[in-house]
Amino acid sequence: REALEVYTLENFPQQWAVTQSNLGAALMRHGERSNGEVSVRLLTKAIIACREALKVRTREQSPQQWTMTQNNLAKAFYLLGDWRNAAAGYANVLMLYPQYEEGYQRLSSIYHEHLFEPAKAFDLHSKWLTLFPDQVFVLADFVEVHFTTGRFNEFEERIKTVLDHPELPSKTKIALRMIEIANLLALNKTER
């Protein structure tokens, strides 16, 4: 924080942005390890510092630094349970780094479990599977998203392949079998 007295936005904008970003990352990590009001206060300060850094670290001028700051911002929002802002941050990161697995996993979780936006989860899984077509957990999630988006016929086509995958854990198979039953009911195939 004392460095920000020397590295001002007006006189040293790049150093100021680096310092703000580093401060945001440190506050975020400290907030992650804290509890209750202390955690909320630290994470809120981390968000403020990251947003300050983004005044200089723009996507156009500093794409790598912008992405790193967006990632820290997304993590802080995620830890606070601010799902909309966390989703926006991770979506920004994935625009420039589409192979970033943690960002993909968190954004998928946010869309599916917190924002209840299965169509966005479907699009995200589709993009991810074009990059990594053999990831069994992604395949399983993608099949589930077929069901939650009302793609019942496609679900029925895809489920067999996923259930036969040798790396799929038993508890995931059981969960998918339950969804398969619901899918059959949705297709009015009660005899099966």
Side-chain angles (χ1 to χ4, degrees), residues 15-162:
Q15 293 87 342
W16 177 84
V18 168
T19 305
Q20 287 285 7
S21 185
N22 290 342
L23 176 61
L27 289 165
M28 188 265 304
R29 286 186 192 98
H30 190 58
E32 186 175 19
R33 291 188 294 266
S34 301
N35 295 312
E37 291 179 25
V38 172
S39 177
V40 171
R41 185 173 38 80
L42 290 166
L43 293 169
T44 302
K45 287 182 179 182
I47 289 167
I48 292 167
C50 288
R51 283 184 168 159
E52 287 294 302
L54 289 171
K55 290 178 179 177
V56 174
R57 291 180 153 191
T58 64
R59 180 179 172 189
E60 296 74 28
Q61 293 179 346
S62 308
Q64 186 174 3
Q65 289 80 16
W66 176 83
T67 304
M68 288 174 17
T69 305
Q70 285 286 342
N71 190 53
N72 286 334
L73 189 59
K75 284 181 181 181
F77 280 124
Y78 186 90
L79 293 167
L80 283 171
D82 183 338
W83 308 121
R84 290 248 175 251
N85 283 315
Y90 285 120
N92 284 335
V93 172
L94 289 170
M95 277 193 299
L96 292 183
Y97 292 95
Q99 297 179 345
Y100 178 46
E101 189 167 3
E102 179 183 323
Y104 158 75
Q105 289 173 345
R106 289 218 171 148
L107 186 55
S108 172
S109 168
I110 291 168
Y111 283 153
H112 207 139
E113 298 170 23
H114 301 290
L115 297 179
F116 306 107
E117 295 185 17
K120 287 184 179 180
F122 184 89
D123 291 341
L124 183 64
H125 287 309
S126 295
K127 290 175 187 171
W128 190 259
L129 283 171
T130 60
L131 297 171
F132 306 101
D134 297 325
Q135 285 190 339
V136 66
F137 293 104
V138 179
L139 291 168
D141 286 346
F142 192 46
V143 169
E144 180 181 352
V145 173
H146 274 78
F147 175 76
T148 58
T149 55
R151 293 172 170 91
F152 304 126
N153 290 319
E154 292 96 338
F155 175 93
E156 189 173 35
E157 292 170 18
R158 290 177 175 268
I159 189 70
K160 295 174 185 99
T161 308
V162 176

